[in-house]
């Protein structure tokens, strides 16, 4: 129990250090440049305190509960003994279909961690408020989470098959560019943003464990060179799915309108 | 009384809903696929409870703290009308929040290991440290610059797609010239720069600016700062890999 409290305290101190530069910049500019009283200062400070406390609880909870299990699972699922049943059954040449559970796990863990990602929640709340409810919090989060799930599954396939990362990323960029031409104008900036917000507190540690586990056990891959790149997939695909979500709703609205 | 309890419980319930998919995925894979019991069950339950409480507090803090201050500063800068201070603030926010970001520190250290094992730099503690520090400052600089460009874009009303597509073309061209071992790290560095505290602040700043400037639409012009902040690090990290 004491150890537990100690852990919370340590994480809280780390979080304070993360927030310190931000607070210094905000209050510095507020006092020296804007030179006006901050509206509802007490409430804002309370808000900062809640954010600090909330993030500390959140991180400790993740480190205590979800990360150990998730990382262990990533390790077990990528273990050749699990994939081929026993050590003797490991073939000389692997086939990418042997890793089917890894792809399914990658998609599922990508989807579910994205739903819980606090920064995505923040952007989704803002988008709902700004769009007057036209973009729902759950709609945006589901679209983004589907994108991350697809991206990470494809990323694990890339590690298993050993194909170069930049081919995938460049093809993804081309799809994003084509969609940009056809997607409703109002969604474009939000779709681009959703690429960057997906990967933070929850997703990065689990996805990194998966990538490194895979790259270090698949024969012929190096953890150093092939373990990277999953985050890039996770930031690219949400742009595609969010624009697709907007295109789909527009298409449905149009079809209903013409009936 | 009853209403108060519901008011208190509803946000907690929302957070539990957010977490439910992860619990489901982990339980399914552990029990059905790996066919093992879930280890340390009490610890997991306590941890999950902490995550739920933490997420609830975070959302509350966003709504009363981070969002209002981000917007208030956007309005104040717009009223003040000084472009210089607004851009300086944007740069400071981008640079200051990124340079100390723990995820970036971790990635920079890994990148130094990769560069050392590829023979790009000398394999000693000092040279790895200086490589990692250089990389961190490069990324922080690029995020600061991204926010400056992004804020300029909101003020002038430039369409975001030209900037992003132009940036992508830059990334693709750089990929052709950058050393192979830096490419994966460069692509990943775009995703790790934007932390959980920066995202709400920067989003509120962008939306606040777009709604306080005449002729800008907060939906079309307000978003996009995060996208730029995830794009510029890729270009800068590849450039760093080429110069070093």
């Amino acid at each position: 129990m004491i150890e537990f409290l100690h852990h919370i305290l340590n994480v809280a101190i780390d979080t304070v250090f993360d927030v310190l530069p931000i607070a210094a910049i905000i209050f510095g500019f507020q006092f020296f440049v804007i030179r006006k009283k901050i509206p509802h200062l007490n409430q804002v400070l309370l808000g900062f305190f809640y954010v600090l406390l909330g993030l500390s609880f959140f991180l400790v909870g993740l480190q205590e509960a979800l990360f150990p299990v998730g990382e262990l699972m990533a390790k077990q699922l990528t273990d050749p003994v699990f994939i081929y049943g026993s050590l003797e059954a490991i073939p000389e040449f692997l086939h990418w279909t042997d890793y089917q559970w890894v792809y399914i796990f990658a998609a599922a863990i990508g989807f579910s961690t994205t739903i819980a990602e606090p920064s995505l929640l923040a952007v989704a709340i803002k988008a709902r408020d700004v769009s007057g409810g036209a973009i729902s919090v759950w709609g945006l989060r589901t679209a983004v989470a589907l994108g991350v799930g697809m991206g990470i599954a494809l990323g694990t396939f890339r590690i298993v098959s050993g194909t170069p990362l930049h081919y995938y990323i460049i093809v993804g960029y081309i799809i994003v560019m084509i969609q940009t031409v056809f997607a409703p104008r109002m969604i474009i900036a939000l779709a681009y943003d959703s690429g960057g917000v997906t990967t933070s507190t929850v997703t990065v540690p689990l996805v990194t464990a998966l990538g490194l586990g895979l790259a270090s056990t698949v024969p012929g891959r190096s953890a150093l060179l092939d373990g990277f790149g999953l985050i890039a997939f996770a930031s690219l695909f949400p742009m595609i799915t969010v624009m697709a979500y907007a295109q789909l709703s527009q298409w449905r609205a149009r079809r209903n309108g013409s009936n | 009384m009853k209403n108060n309890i519901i008011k208190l419980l509803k946000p907690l319930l929302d957070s539990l809903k957010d977490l439910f998919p992860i619990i489901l995925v982990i339980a399914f894979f552990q029990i059905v696929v790996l066919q093992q019991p879930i280890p340390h069950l009490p610890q997991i339950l306590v941890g999950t409870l902490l995550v739920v409480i933490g997420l609830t507090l975070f959302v509350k803090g966003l709504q009363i703290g981070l969002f209002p201050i981000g917007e208030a500063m956007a309005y104040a800068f717009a009223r003040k009308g000084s472009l210089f201070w607004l851009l300086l603030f944007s740069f400071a926010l981008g640079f200051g929040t990124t340079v100390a970001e723990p995820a970036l520190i971790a990635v920079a250290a890994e990148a130094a290991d990769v560069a050392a094992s590829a023979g790009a730099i000398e394999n000693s503690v000092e040279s790895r440290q200086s490589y990692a520090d250089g990389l961190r400052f490069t990324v922080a600089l690029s995020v600061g610059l991204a926010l400056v460009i992004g804020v300029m874009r909101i003020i002038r009303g430039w369409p975001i797609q030209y900037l992003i597509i132009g940036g992508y073309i830059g990334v693709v061209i750089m990929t052709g010239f950058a050393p192979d071992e830096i490419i994966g790290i460069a692509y990943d560095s775009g995703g790790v720069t934007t932390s959980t505290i920066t995202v709400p602040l920067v989003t509120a700043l962008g939306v606040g600016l777009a709604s306080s400037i005449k002729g800008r639409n907060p939906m079309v012009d307000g978003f996009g700062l995060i996208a730029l902040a995830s794009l510029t690090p890729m270009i800068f990290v590849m450039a760093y890999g080429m110069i070093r």
Side-chain angles (χ1 to χ4, degrees):
Chain A
M1 192 63 208
I2 299 221
E3 223 172 279
F4 208 61
L5 289 176
H6 196 71
H7 190 179
I8 295 188
L9 195 69
N10 271 338
V11 173
I13 291 170
D14 283 350
T15 318
V16 169
F17 276 104
D18 286 352
V19 177
L20 225 52
I22 301 177
I25 292 163
I26 288 183
F27 291 107
F29 271 86
Q30 192 74 42
F31 288 123
F32 296 112
V33 180
I34 295 178
R35 287 190 205 147
K36 264 201 203 106
K37 263 179 67 185
I38 297 173
H40 314 291
L41 180 62
N42 287 339
Q43 231 188 354
V44 167
L45 289 177
L46 188 68
F48 265 79
F49 177 70
Y50 278 167
V51 165
L52 272 177
L53 201 68
L55 272 184
S56 313
F57 271 42
F58 189 76
L59 286 174
V60 172
L62 286 179
Q63 285 162 3
E64 290 292 327
L66 294 168
F67 289 164
V69 192
E71 281 165 17
L72 193 67
M73 273 176 145
K75 228 181 264 163
Q76 286 174 329
L77 283 169
T78 53
D79 187 353
V81 175
F82 166 76
I83 288 166
Y84 296 107
S86 71
L87 262 179
E88 291 76 47
I90 298 174
E92 203 168 328
F93 297 104
L94 67 113
H95 198 262
W96 67 269
T97 50
D98 298 339
Y99 284 78
Q100 46 175 324
W101 278 119
V102 173
Y103 310 138
I104 297 172
F105 178 71
I109 206 80
F111 180 89
S112 56
T113 52
T114 306
I115 293 284
E117 199 64 81
S119 39
L120 174 61
L121 182 57
V123 170
I125 290 173
K126 201 86 227 173
R128 179 199 59 200
D129 295 348
V130 171
S131 70
I135 296 164
S136 75
V137 170
W138 275 95
L140 182 70
R141 287 162 86 194
T142 313
V144 173
L146 278 176
V148 175
M150 276 165 49
I152 294 181
L154 197 64
T156 49
F157 166 75
R158 181 197 79 83
I159 296 177
V160 170
S161 64
T163 31
L165 171 65
H166 54 269
Y167 291 177
Y168 292 84
I169 300 293
I170 291 171
V171 170
Y173 282 173
I174 293 171
I175 298 174
V176 169
M177 288 182 200
I178 295 171
Q179 276 184 304
T180 303
V181 179
F182 297 103
R185 212 165 83 88
M186 141 181 159
I187 202 79
I188 291 173
L190 181 64
Y192 288 164
D193 266 5
S194 54
V197 299
T198 48
T199 44
S200 53
T201 346
V202 200
T203 320
V204 171
L206 282 180
V207 165
T208 310
L210 188 65
L212 289 179
L214 208 53
S216 57
T217 53
V218 175
R221 305 285 167 272
S222 111
L224 238 37
L225 293 182
D226 299 299
F228 291 100
L230 283 182
I231 310 285
F233 276 92
S235 339
L236 176 64
F237 277 75
M239 298 194 228
I240 298 174
T241 49
V242 170
M243 281 196 270
Y245 163 72
Q247 284 172 300
L248 212 66
S249 352
Q250 198 186 35
W251 177 74
R252 275 197 355 229
R254 221 180 261 158
R255 207 181 51 168
N256 288 343
S258 64
N259 279 350
Chain B
M1 185 62 200
K2 205 179 156 203
N3 272 344
N4 277 342
I5 293 177
I6 292 174
K7 232 190 234 163
L8 212 71
L9 281 181
K10 188 163 180 308
L12 280 174
L13 225 69
D14 282 347
S15 305
L16 193 63
K17 247 196 280 176
D18 296 341
L19 218 61
F20 187 66
I22 302 190
I23 299 171
L24 206 67
V25 167
I26 288 191
F28 173 78
F29 273 85
Q30 194 73 8
I31 296 165
V32 179
V33 182
L34 293 165
Q35 298 179 348
Q36 277 161 6
I38 293 176
H40 321 295
L41 200 58
Q43 200 187 344
I44 291 184
L45 291 178
V46 174
T48 309
L49 186 70
L50 283 179
V51 173
V52 169
I53 297 172
L55 201 57
T56 310
L57 282 172
F58 175 77
V59 171
K60 181 82 191 153
L62 275 186
Q63 280 163 338
I64 65 171
L66 291 189
F67 280 162
I69 187 89
E71 264 163 44
M73 293 202 75
Y75 289 127
F77 276 120
R79 254 201 317 274
K80 199 174 160 66
S82 158
L83 188 62
F84 170 76
W85 285 113
L86 174 59
L87 293 182
L88 190 72
F89 174 72
S90 315
F91 182 82
L93 196 63
F95 186 89
T97 54
T98 310
V99 80
E101 169 70 28
L104 178 62
I105 295 173
V107 167
E110 278 174 67
D113 290 344
V114 174
S117 68
I121 55 167
E122 205 184 311
N123 197 355
S124 70
V125 175
E126 298 93 68
S127 75
R128 279 208 306 260
Q129 185 65 44
S130 87
Y131 185 89
D133 287 344
L135 191 62
R136 248 174 69 204
F137 277 94
T138 310
V139 173
L141 206 70
S142 69
V143 175
L145 201 69
L147 290 194
V148 169
I149 296 171
V151 164
M152 279 297 283
R153 168 204 154 241
I154 293 174
I155 294 170
R156 299 257 185 266
W158 300 331
I160 180 85
Q161 55 266 41
Y162 297 143
L163 290 174
I164 298 287
I165 290 174
Y168 281 171
I169 294 171
V171 170
V172 172
I173 294 173
M174 297 287 281
T175 305
F177 294 100
D180 276 343
E181 71 271 6
I182 200 92
I183 292 176
I185 296 160
Y187 285 178
D188 274 2
S189 67
V192 297
T193 48
T194 41
S195 80
T196 314
I197 300 162
T198 323
V199 166
L201 260 178
V202 166
T203 306
L205 180 75
V207 169
L209 271 178
S211 26
S212 58
I213 295 170
K214 228 177 137 195
R216 298 287 164 271
N217 176 329
M219 199 61 218
V220 174
D221 303 297
F223 293 94
L225 288 174
I226 308 286
L228 285 168
S230 333
L231 177 70
T232 50
M234 296 197 236
I235 299 175
F236 273 63
V237 170
M238 283 195 269
Y240 184 74
M242 283 157 70
I243 294 164
R244 282 297 288 251

